[in-house]
């Protein structure tokens, strides 16, 4: 409790203290007070304003100067601290008064509290500094209980209103969810109906084609019989003409006419023989396949979509079709690239995974003295062993299936390529990339994991779209990247050693193969009018030759893959095989 004249001494002491404090000292003291906001600190012009603010926060009064003394001592403002300590020792007693007076308006008690500024106020302070026009929320200290009750009731009502709105939003969300499910079910039903309708149309078309083929077969057999009959007649005529061609002693006009008639008969027979040869040579193939985009695990996989092609040796090309929705497998068709209608053999590889995309390498894998086809679906790699019957592959001998280890969770293979070791006649390893990962993983022909190749420091894209590998060089097409990145792969390090730059800004790399000494890259443009170009690069990234280019309005004619046999390259689309030299 303060002595009777403590109030006067307190104010006099504060005046002396204020004379010792600079404006910077005032700001430093205000900074030590957590209750004074930054905005309020800027309004403090001198020590008097500071003392008023401290009083408003119950940190300074004629009964308690301890907090201010501690701060002054911390800031080494020892003269001011001594003045307050002297006041405390002379004027303060052990029992303190609870009555607080305003430091600004000294004769007025603190009867109000500003919730906005977090300070106690006298009536004059409310009028002059904390009015409604300043946005302050002021309550009387004697009405705190009533304010708490009223404001708690208001808060409860607002919480109830917000909770009601939240429930309404939740109900709307559930209705929207149910609506979306209903729309999805309707769309699924429509899709199933359309699918069944298409299947029915396909079946009708198939029946019509089979009927037409049967008619053609009957017609062809009739033609063959007629031709055979004609040949028989021709043979009889030739036998008769042989007799006429023998030397005769008859040199009459009649004999000359018979020889002339026989000569014309031979010419006619020769014409019919030529036609028969041409008819016998013809092999019409009416079935074609169209590529359908299939870029993800949940993409639509269409019947008969051409996935890619790869060379199987001299004048043998294996085309890979995704037919999982029709036959449950992946179909390999081996053709002659120079005569695409000429088919050597077919083989269907049974595939259990009908959701993940089908990918294949664009060059075959050579080991054990034979070419092998690599096909990947999901996490599984199928190695197709073709049967060699000199001078070509005449069938499929067996298919090995390996489920790969070290596969990222919820991912699948997006591209696969063999390891074309430089100067080596065998390639018993291959590399794969997985969806959403920039790590290339290497495996051997048994499906055993060999090593990981980290490319994220050099390939700045979400995933890898194409690979070519010839130890120690790895070429990578990043998903959406305009160029091909060349990397040098050592035991512990991966370094960028070059780049295959796109020939123009509107072209991006789509297919990449290693020829043994150079790179062949197929570039495609976006849009309906597809511009494409096949470019040959040296191993250091220099353009050697622009081999082939074209613009197609029909996706049927746009190349899907590029492969090669010795120095002959092939750009394969669903509709044709384009050949070029490099």
């Amino acid at each position: 409790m303060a002595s009777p004249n403590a109030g006067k001494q307190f104010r006099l002491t504060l005046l002396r203290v204020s004379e010792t404090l600079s404006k910077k000292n005032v700001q430093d003291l205000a900074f030590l007070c957590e209750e004074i906001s930054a905005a309020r600190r800027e309004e403090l012009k001198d020590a008097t304003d500071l003392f008023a603010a401290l009083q408003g926060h119950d940190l300074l009064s004629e009964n308690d100067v301890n907090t201010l003394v501690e701060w002054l001592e911390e800031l080494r403002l020892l003269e001011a601290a001594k003045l307050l300590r002297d006041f405390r020792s002379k004027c303060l007693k052990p029992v303190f008064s609870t009555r607080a007076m305003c430091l600004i308006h000294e004769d007025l008690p603190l009867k109000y509290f500003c919730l906005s500024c977090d300070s106690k106020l006298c009536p004059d302070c409310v009028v002059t500094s904390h009015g409604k026009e300043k946005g302050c929320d002021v309550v009387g200290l004697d009405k705190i209980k009533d304010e708490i009750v009223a404001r708690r009731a208001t808060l409860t009502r607002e919480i109830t209103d917000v909770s009601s709105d939240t429930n309404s939003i939740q109900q709307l969300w559930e209705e929207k969810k149910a609506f979306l499910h209903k729309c999805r079910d309707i769309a699924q039903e429509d899709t199933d109906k359309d699918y069944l309708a298409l299947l029915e149309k396909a079946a009708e078309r198939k029946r019509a084609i089979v009927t037409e083929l049967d008619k053609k077969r009957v017609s062809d057999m009739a033609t063959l019989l007629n031709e055979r009959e004609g040949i028989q007649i021709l043979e009889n005529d030739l036998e008769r003409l042989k007799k006429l061609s023998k030397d005769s002693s008859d040199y009459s006009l009649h004999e000359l006419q018979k020889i002339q008639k026989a000569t014309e008969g031979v010419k006619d027979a020769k014409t019919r023989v030529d036609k028969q040869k041409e008819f016998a040579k013809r092999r019409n193939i009416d079935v074609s396949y169209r590529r359908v985009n299939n870029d993800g695990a949940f993409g639509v996989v269409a019947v008969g979509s051409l996935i890619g092609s790869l060379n199987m040796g001299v004048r043998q090309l294996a085309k890979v079709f995704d037919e999982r929705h029709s036959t449950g497998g992946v179909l390999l068709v081996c053709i002659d690239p120079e005569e695409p209608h000429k088919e050597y053999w077919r083989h269907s590889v049974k595939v259990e995974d009908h959701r993940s995309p089908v990918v294949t390498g664009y060059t075959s894998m050579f080991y054990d003295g034979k070419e092998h086809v690599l096909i990947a679906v999901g996490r599984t790699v199928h190695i197709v062993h073709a049967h060699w019957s000199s001078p070509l592959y005449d069938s499929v001998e067996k298919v090995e299936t390996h489920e790969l280890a070290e596969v990222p969770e919820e991912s699948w293979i997006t591209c696969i390529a063999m390891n074309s070791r430089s100067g080596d006649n065998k390639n018993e390893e291959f590399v794969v990339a997985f969806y959403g990962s920039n790590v290339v993983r290497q495996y051997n022909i048994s499906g055993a994991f060999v090593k990981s190749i980290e490319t994220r420091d050099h390939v700045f894209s979400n995933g890898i779209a194409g690979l070519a590998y010839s130890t120690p060089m790895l070429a990578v097409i990043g998903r959406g990247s305009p160029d091909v990145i060349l990397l040098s792969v050592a035991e512990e390090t991966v370094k960028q050693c070059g780049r295959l730059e796109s020939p123009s800004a509107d072209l991006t790399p789509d297919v990449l193969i290693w020829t043994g000494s150079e790179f062949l890259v197929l570039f495609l443009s976006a849009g309906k009018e597809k511009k494409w170009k096949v470019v040959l690069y040296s191993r250091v990234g220099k353009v050697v030759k622009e081999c082939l280019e074209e613009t197609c309005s029909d996706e049927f004619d746009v190349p899907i893959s590029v492969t090669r046999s010795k120095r002959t390259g092939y750009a394969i689309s669903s509709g044709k095989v384009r050949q070029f030299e490099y």
Side-chain angles (χ1 to χ4, degrees), residues 315-493:
R315 293 195 65 171
Q316 278 194 290
L317 190 72
K319 301 178 77 173
V320 182
F321 299 93
D322 182 0
E323 294 200 336
R324 291 176 292 178
H325 278 197
S326 58
T327 64
V330 176
L331 178 65
L332 272 71
V333 180
C334 185
I335 65 169
D336 185 334
E338 296 185 12
E339 297 181 66
H341 64 276
K342 185 176 181 180
E343 184 178 307
Y344 292 109
W345 48 264
R346 290 187 173 206
H347 185 84
S348 182
V349 179
K350 187 70 174 178
V351 175
E352 298 296 334
D353 187 346
H354 285 201
R355 295 171 66 86
S356 304
V358 178
V359 296
T360 183
Y362 297 106
T363 53
S364 57
M365 190 175 186
F366 185 81
Y367 68 93
D368 291 342
K370 298 178 183 179
E371 304 286 350
H372 302 76
V373 179
L374 295 178
I375 300 171
V377 184
R379 299 169 170 231
T380 304
V381 172
H382 306 273
I383 302 178
V384 180
H385 299 258
H387 180 264
W388 174 255
S389 179
S390 184
L392 49 76
Y393 295 97
D394 61 354
S395 62
V396 170
E397 186 174 323
K398 65 177 181 177
V399 177
E400 289 184 3
T401 300
H402 303 291
E403 184 156 351
L404 302 184
E406 303 294 328
V407 179
E409 189 175 353
E410 299 298 327
S411 189
W412 56 88
I413 299 170
T414 57
C415 54
I416 184 169
M418 69 170 184
N419 180 11
S420 306
R421 296 182 178 178
S422 301
D424 199 340
N425 192 36
K426 60 181 180 179
N427 306 286
E428 298 182 349
E429 295 173 339
F430 59 89
V431 290
V432 298
F434 295 93
Y435 177 79
S437 172
N438 281 14
V439 178
V440 177
R441 290 171 171 81
Q442 186 170 336
Y443 299 84
N444 63 23
I445 56 172
S446 300
F449 176 75
V450 177
K451 67 177 180 179
S452 292
I453 304 171
E454 180 59 70
T455 70
R456 75 177 70 186
D457 293 336
H458 311 285
V459 181
F460 306 107
S461 61
N462 184 23
I464 294 173
L467 292 169
Y469 190 30
S470 177
T471 306
M473 181 174 287
L474 175 67
V476 180
I477 300 176
R479 190 171 297 278
S481 173
D483 304 319
V484 179
I485 306 300
L486 301 182
L487 304 174
S488 177
V489 180
E491 286 296 328
E492 300 294 335
T493 60

Side-chain angles (χ1 to χ4, degrees), residues 8 17 59 89 210 243 315 356 449 482 535 560:
K8 181 179 179 181
V17 171
L59 296 174
S89 62
V210 170
K243 296 178 180 179
R315 293 195 65 171
S356 304
F449 176 75
V535 183
I560 294 166

Side-chain angles (χ1 to χ4, degrees), residues 481-513:
S481 173
D483 304 319
V484 179
I485 306 300
L486 301 182
L487 304 174
S488 177
V489 180
E491 286 296 328
E492 300 294 335
T493 60
V494 177
K495 297 180 180 179
Q496 183 170 340
C497 59
R499 180 187 297 268
L500 309 182
E501 295 185 356
S502 173
S504 64
D506 59 335
L507 295 175
T508 55
D510 187 67
V511 175
L512 166 70
I513 65 169

Side-chain angles (χ1 to χ4, degrees), residues 527-563:
K528 292 183 178 180
E529 289 288 327
K530 291 282 188 182
K531 178 183 176 183
W532 59 269
K533 183 179 291 189
V534 180
V535 183
L536 180 68
Y537 294 88
S538 69
R539 65 183 301 129
V540 296
K542 182 180 179 181
V543 175
V544 178
K545 181 182 180 182
E546 293 188 353
C547 305
L548 208 60
E549 65 176 307
E550 196 174 321
T551 300
C552 302
S553 57
D554 187 357
E555 190 178 0
F556 192 78
D557 294 327
V558 178
I560 294 166
S561 63
V562 170
T563 188

